Structure formats: structure tokens, C-alpha cells
Amino acid sequence: MKRNLLKTIVCAFLLSAAMPLMAQTAAKPFVIPELKTWTAASGSFAMPASVSIRTAKGEDVGRVGGLLAADLREMFGQESRLVADGRRGGDIVLALKADRQLGPEGYELRIGRDQVVLTAPTAKGLFWATRTLLQMLDQTQGKRLPCGSTRDWPDYAIRGAMLDAGRKYLPMPMLRDYVRVMAYYKMNMLQVHLNDNGFPLYFDDNWDKTQAAFRLESNLFPGLTARDGFYTKQSFTALQLLGDSLGVDVVPEIDVPAHSLAFSRFRPSIASNDYGPDHLDLGNPATYTFLDSLFGEYLGGEDPVFKGRYVHIGTDEYSNKTQQLVEQFRGFTDHYIKLVEQYGKKAVIWGSQTHARGATPIKVKDVLMCAWSNDYSRPDSMMALGYDLISIPDREVYIVPKAGYYHDYLDCRWLYENWTPAVINGNKFPERHPQIKGGMFAVWNDVVGNGISTRDIHYRAMPAIRTLATKMWTGSGVSMRWDEYAHRAQGVREAPGVNYAGWHAPGVVLEKAVVRPGDTLDADQIGWNYDVSFDITARKEQLATPLFHYDDATFWLSDPASGLLGFSRDGYLYNFNYQFVPGERAHVRIHGDRERTQLYVDGRLVESLDVRKIPFKRPMYYISTLVFPLKEAGGSFKSVITNLKVVSL
């Protein structure tokens, strides 16, 4: 009896001593989105100095292999050699393989001591496998992989984001970066909201002064396209082709018949006289003539501008004041669903049929509905009608930067712990419901003119991407606690070759003893939170003398308006109430975070550009943030700049 007890104690001790090692060996690799499965094996695969990538026969497999090779070079400086249709060898092997369980986007990844094998039923699944491989390698700087295998597939077919470019122009390089970011996180739909207008309350309650924009080049209607930023047909086509190459559907949205001030301003005869010029007149045949031609410009011809399988036609937030108006709206919606389908596309609409109950039939079959508001479209009612849904609930996944309503930043903890696409504004449906095709989040730039920059938008969108990518792929099956997930997610890069946020690990990012005019620095930009400091011996500077510049941002030694120290980005100019006197010697420090930009001179706070509350009927919160530009030193400054130090906090 005592011998058996002693044996039990010894075994328990040995087992407990071995458990940390076992747990480490068996731990699922951290990637975003989380892997569905992981079977650990002993040992590891060491990446050789030059990697041989063997691709099985097929143009698609070769293309995926080429993308992987380019990303290995970008991320780790890893040279690769592609071997097409090789029968043996290869450090990394890519092949298509039928597997019904994995579906159209699933894949299998097997890591042995001598070889890594990626297989999938489709090229898209194979590409997703390479994203997993790259994220795993990134955790060891491209050097080593733990042996083991995963079979991984998404719970939901649509995993996306919507960006409002109508109210705030989002430059094409940003959209191209977003395609790359989404692909790295296995998100497969980017909806671009191409037209919209601001709220009159911020423009003296005057529709004639209210901002409105349509962001796409139009040859058929010269003068329709926005002057303050637009996409050429060629560049928008190229964006869609980039998305297609990386597994991301770029979905153009032309939002009608509400949110349509850009169209009624161009063609006043189609504006509603009863419900405001942001509403089109649905009783006017000219409205249909104009919009049929506009959609046709991008959908028609041998080489249409809209390349993808989806086109979003809007149809949200139109008045339902009279039943006659409701029936007209329903007929309008049906007409443009069918018009899009005539060009071989699948129509996507905002849900509005709870708000617009009526008798006029609206096509249901093969139409995707964005379920965003219970007041406008109750998801259970819409599914009863037969619609397939994209879950994009406003209360849970709408970002409206610094507006004071919806979310400034999403509540990512709550979403991680409680949300999947099956949760739509308080309605909880069974996971993987066949009519819930997936989910999205949205960034709405409602408040025009409030200083919000593209970097402000990005800092709000990236936490959403890192959280929701997992919740739309893995669903309710996440295994990690939120605190650990959030901590580790911050270490996953945006995408190969993309650092739109200017993120750097805490510490000294850059030091330079002397900054001379025209110098190129070793960092493009520094994102929040940062300190940028330097010493200056001031000399007389001309107006519009830049000190540092990158992308659309400039830090001015003498700003263009008043000669003060300041900065500009996204078309906004800011300055500090400080100007150097020729001969002055000073130590300058600029601190920036997500709420403010501050100037210190010789250790004294000169000015803090904080969020300003501007009184309107609904207050505007004006932003003065800066992701600090570094890449290029200005070419014309005369002052002596020394001891530059850039620190990420």
C-alpha cells in the first residue's frame, strides 16, 4: 500500500515537472486569425540561408509561390529559389490537393524537420496558408518553425471592412496598403464607399455649403467627380486587380438614393424637393436615366471599370414618410439590383426593408444584404424573406472617429469575448447559420472638417482588424484569453512591407548628430506615442520652410501661413505659438499621442494642441494629432539642427 502510494507520488511529481515542457511543445502557434487546429510534433524546422520553394504544376500555384518568395525577401531578406513542378526536394512545397472538409478557403500546413508542405483545394486557400507560415516565421525573425501540423478553415465566407471615402478622401496608396493588410489577416472583402455628404449642421445649416463628393473619375459626366480627391478609372481598376491577386474582393459602393448630394448638386433636377437634396427624386424619370448611365459607365463595355463579382448599390436611410414614397423606394431598390445583375454582378444592399415595409416586390435571390440596424432591417425578418446577410451591426462594429456617437475605437475586448457574425445588434443566431455569410466592420467619416487624418483612421481600424479577423474566421472557437491575445496581437505586423501606423518597438528609433538639408533618414515616420527632440541654432527662415517630410505630412520650421513652428497633414495646417529668433539656441521636443501634439522648448511646455470642442448643435471635436514624418529633411532650411533623437514610448 505504501509502495503504491510512493509510486503515485513520484509519477505525479515527474508529470508535473514535465508539464511546462509539454505545454510549450504542444502550444498552438500564435497567428491572426487563430488556427482551428494544431497537432504538435517534436523538433523544429530551421530556415536555410537560401530557400527552395517547390510549386506543383499549375499557374496559380506558381503565382502563390512567387508571392511567398517576394514576402520572404521583404520581411526577412530571405532569398528564395522557385522550382516549378519539381518531383522531389524543396524546403517549402506548395500544391493543390482536393479536400472536401477544408472548403474553398481552407488549407493544411505540415512542418517537419526537413520540409514544410502547404496544400489546399484552391489557390486562395494555398495563399492563406502562406500567410500563416509568414506570421509564424515572423515570431523568430524568419529563422525557425516548430514541427507540427494544422488543418485550418474559416467559419464565415465573408470577412471584411468598409471604408467611407465619400466624406473623407482616402488616398489610393492607403487603399492599396489596406488590401495588403487585410490579405495578411485572411480578410477577403474591402468595401469602398465612393460617395456621400456631410451634415448641414456643420455648414451653417445650408445644403449649398455642405460637403459632398463622388470619388470616381467619370468621362460621361464631366464635373461630377470631386475636386479634392478622386480615383482615376485606371487606378481603381488596378486596386481591384491587386485585391484579386491577394484574395480580397474590392467592392465599389455607389450609395443611392439617399446620401446623394454629390449627384443632385451636379444634376439639380433629380433632387427631392420634399426630403432634402441628399435624397434623389424617385418620382422623376430623369433620376433613373442619370443613374442607369452612371452605373453603366463602370459596368459596361468589354473592359469594365468594376472588375469584381460584387457591386454595392447603397439603399439606406431614405425617408419613409409616406407609403407612396416607400413603394417608390422599393421599386428603385429592385430596379438597381436587377441592373447590376444584367452586367453579370452580384448586388449588395444596405438593409432597409423593416423601415420600408410595403407591397412592391424586391428581388431576394442571390442578393447580399448588409444587416446594420434593427430599425432599418431586423435580421430575423430579412432572413425570413430569404436574404443572405453580412453582419455589420452599427451598435457593435461602427467606428465614427471622434463624433461622440457609435464608437471612436471599437470595444475590442467585448467583441473578442462576445461577438461573432452570428450576433447582430442583440439578436443571437446559431453559429455558421447558412444565411449569415460573414461579417464586416465599418469606418464612417461622418464629421467632415474635424481634422481627422488617415493615420487617425488607421489607428482605429487596426485593432478592429486584429480582433475581428479572428472572430470572423474562428468564430466562437477562440482559445486564448483576451489580455494575452491583445498583448500578442500588437506584435503582429500590419503586412509585409506595410507600416502605415509608423509603429516601432519602445526605445530609441533614430539618432543623428547633424541633420543637413536634403538628408534621407533611416525611418519613414514615428507613430504614437513618441518624443522627437533636437537642438537648434536658429537662422532667419523663409515662409514654408520644411524641416521633415514623409508622405502627405510635413513638419514646418516656418509654416506657410505665419512662419511659426507647425505641421500639416491631410490638407490641414496646424501651428504652435512659437517662432525662433535668429541666433536663438534651444532644445526642442515634440510629443505626440492619439489625443494631442505638444511642443516643448528648453523643457518648458509651449503649447499642447489637444482635442478642441467646437460648439455646434451637435459639438464637433477637432483633432490635432500627428504621426511624425521623418524620411526626408527639408532642402532649404538654414538653421543648424543637431542631436536629433526619436524615441518610441
Side-chain angles (χ1 to χ4, degrees):
M1 185 76 174
K2 289 182 180 179
R3 183 178 299 173
N4 289 340
L5 179 60
L6 179 62
K7 184 177 179 181
T8 301
I9 293 172
V10 170
C11 289
F13 173 81
L14 293 174
L15 181 60
S16 66
M19 279 189 70
L21 180 60
M22 291 169 60
Q24 184 179 3
T25 303
K28 185 190 294 186
F30 183 82
V31 298
I32 301 175
E34 183 178 338
L35 300 175
K36 275 289 200 317
T37 69
W38 175 253
T39 303
S42 61
S44 62
F45 172 83
M47 288 288 285
S50 179
V51 179
S52 172
I53 301 175
R54 176 160 63 88
T55 59
K57 186 175 181 179
E59 180 180 344
D60 286 344
V61 181
R63 181 183 61 81
V64 173
L67 291 169
L68 175 60
D71 289 338
L72 287 170
R73 184 167 54 252
E74 172 65 42
M75 293 173 70
F76 314 117
Q78 184 81 56
E79 292 304 318
S80 305
R81 181 171 60 93
L82 290 175
V83 181
D85 198 23
R87 298 295 179 185
R88 294 182 180 179
D91 302 307
I92 300 174
V93 179
L94 282 71
L96 296 180
K97 179 182 177 183
D99 191 323
R100 184 175 297 178
Q101 182 192 13
L102 292 177
E105 293 188 274
Y107 63 91
E108 184 171 29
L109 169 63
R110 289 179 282 119
I111 304 169
R113 293 174 185 263
D114 302 316
Q115 192 176 65
V116 178
V117 179
L118 292 73
T119 60
T122 68
K124 180 178 277 192
L126 197 61
F127 179 69
W128 294 151
T130 66
R131 304 304 90 184
T132 294
L133 177 64
L134 290 170
Q135 288 192 29
M136 290 176 65
L137 281 168
D138 208 11
Q139 296 173 56
T140 62
Q141 291 75 52
K143 295 177 180 178
R144 191 170 292 275
L145 292 166
C147 288
S149 63
T150 181
R151 289 173 60 80
D152 196 21
W153 63 92
D155 272 9
Y156 293 93
I158 293 174
R159 308 173 301 281
M162 191 233 70
L163 299 180
D164 173 9
R167 296 187 180 103
K168 177 172 178 57
Y169 176 63
L170 306 176
M172 182 55 70
M174 178 188 182
L175 296 184
R176 292 181 68 87
D177 278 350
Y178 261 68
V179 166
R180 297 184 179 98
V181 169
M182 294 179 70
Y184 195 56
Y185 289 84
K186 303 188 184 79
M187 296 175 73
N188 61 7
M189 182 176 282
L190 175 61
Q191 180 178 324
V192 184
H193 187 75
L194 288 168
N195 68 281
D196 217 312
N197 47 264
F199 297 146
L201 69 92
Y202 297 122
F203 297 89
D204 299 330
D205 285 319
N206 187 334
W207 282 111
D208 292 335
K209 295 181 180 180
T210 300
Q211 179 270 355
F214 176 64
R215 299 296 182 188
L216 198 54
E217 175 188 15
S218 174
N219 304 114
L220 192 59
F221 299 108
L224 172 62
T225 304
R227 270 70 159 181
D228 66 333
F230 69 94
Y231 312 121
T232 65
K233 291 180 177 180
Q234 183 180 20
S235 68
F236 198 78
T237 295
L239 176 70
Q240 295 166 86
L241 295 177
L242 174 66
D244 187 59
S245 73
L246 300 178
V248 179
D249 288 312
V250 175
V251 179
E253 180 192 353
I254 298 177
D255 195 1
V256 287
H259 301 277
S260 299
L261 183 60
F263 302 136
S264 66
R265 181 170 289 166
F266 175 78
R267 186 66 58 83
S269 62
I270 65 174
S272 169
N273 293 321
D274 298 318
Y275 307 105
D278 64 333
H279 280 47
L280 300 182
D281 183 355
L282 302 186
N284 185 351
T287 299
Y288 285 84
T289 301
F290 173 77
L291 291 179
D292 285 3
S293 299
L294 185 69
F295 276 99
E297 180 175 3
Y298 305 113
L299 288 164
E302 295 182 0
D303 187 22
V305 177
F306 291 170
K307 298 292 185 186
R309 50 182 169 165
Y310 299 106
V311 173
H312 201 302
I313 62 170
T315 69
D316 65 321
E317 295 190 302
Y318 197 85
S319 174
N320 66 347
K321 188 172 182 179
T322 70
Q323 193 59 39
Q324 179 186 11
L325 190 64
V326 165
E327 301 301 340
Q328 288 177 330
F329 172 81
R330 292 174 64 88
F332 177 95
T333 303
D334 185 68
H335 175 85
Y336 285 99
I337 288 171
K338 291 174 179 175
L339 183 139
V340 163
E341 291 179 342
Q342 288 171 13
Y343 290 99
K345 307 298 184 182
K346 189 167 186 173
V348 189
I349 62 175
W350 292 108
S352 289
Q353 292 188 39
T354 299
H355 180 72
R357 290 188 179 93
T360 303
I362 303 175
K363 189 174 186 297
V364 172
K365 184 175 173 55
D366 296 325
V367 176
L368 267 176
M369 177 181 283
C370 294
W372 69 281
S373 164
N374 292 353
D375 293 333
Y376 279 83
S377 57
R378 286 196 58 85
D380 50 353
S381 301
M382 298 303 102
M383 287 194 286
L385 289 173
Y387 282 105
D388 289 336
L389 303 184
I390 297 174
S391 174
I392 183 170
D394 58 347
R395 296 197 317 236
E396 293 148 358
V397 297
Y398 269 23
I399 297 170
V400 187
K402 247 353 181 215
Y405 56 89
Y406 286 128
H407 295 277
D408 189 16
Y409 291 77
L410 293 187
D411 185 347
C412 288
R413 175 188 289 273
W414 185 90
L415 290 166
Y416 184 83
E417 294 176 347
N418 299 283
W419 189 82
T420 74
V423 179
I424 308 175
N425 281 334
N427 299 276
K428 189 168 184 178
F429 300 95
E431 288 296 325
R432 298 171 295 281
H433 191 291
Q435 286 177 265
I436 299 176
K437 298 304 179 183
M440 300 176 72
F441 74 93
V443 179
W444 293 104
N445 298 307
D446 287 11
V447 187
V448 178
N450 65 345
I452 288 290
S453 73
T454 58
R455 264 68 181 187
D456 289 310
I457 291 168
H458 182 65
Y459 267 88
R460 287 156 171 80
M462 273 311 301
I465 288 172
R466 289 188 169 113
T467 303
L468 297 180
T470 278
K471 298 300 292 185
M472 293 186 287
W473 179 281
T474 314
S476 59
V478 295
S479 63
M480 191 174 294
R481 294 177 63 86
W482 163 250
D483 289 337
E484 182 181 359
Y485 180 86
H487 174 72
R488 298 187 68 175
Q490 290 178 347
V492 179
R493 70 175 70 205
E494 292 178 6
V498 178
N499 185 7
Y500 199 77
W503 184 87
H504 294 272
V508 176
V509 173
L510 174 67
E511 289 184 289
K512 191 169 177 64
V514 180
V515 179
R516 296 179 174 84
D519 277 353
T520 299
L521 304 186
D522 292 335
D524 293 339
Q525 57 183 344
I526 178 74
W528 311 328
N529 297 309
Y530 63 78
D531 279 338
V532 174
S533 61
F534 55 87
D535 294 325
I536 183 170
T537 301
R539 295 177 181 169
K540 184 175 177 56
E541 304 286 4
Q542 298 296 316
L543 288 178
T545 298
L547 182 56
F548 298 109
H549 176 78
Y550 176 70
D551 197 13
D552 70 342
T554 300
F555 187 84
W556 300 99
L557 200 54
S558 172
D559 79 57
S562 57
L564 297 172
L565 205 64
F567 59 91
S568 57
R569 81 293 187 278
D570 290 70
Y572 294 95
L573 175 64
Y574 305 83
N575 54 45
F576 300 101
N577 188 25
Y578 197 88
Q579 188 174 38
F580 292 109
V581 177
E584 179 181 359
R585 295 184 178 183
H587 179 71
V588 178
R589 178 167 67 91
I590 301 96
H591 171 79
D593 58 40
R594 77 181 202 175
E595 293 290 307
R596 64 192 58 82
T597 309
Q598 298 174 311
L599 171 66
Y600 293 81
V601 177
D602 291 332
R604 177 178 66 87
L605 176 63
V606 172
E607 190 170 5
S608 182
L609 302 180
D610 295 347
V611 177
R612 285 191 292 126
K613 185 177 180 180
I614 302 175
F616 287 95
K617 292 177 183 177
R618 177 190 292 156
M620 175 186 285
Y621 297 92
Y622 190 81
I623 309 301
S624 305
T625 55
L626 176 66
V627 169
F628 199 96
L630 290 167
K631 189 64 175 178
E632 305 164 16
S636 61
F637 65 84
K638 298 179 178 62
S639 300
V640 178
I641 307 297
T642 57
N643 301 319
L644 174 67
K645 187 174 184 179
V646 179
V647 180
S648 177
L649 303 176

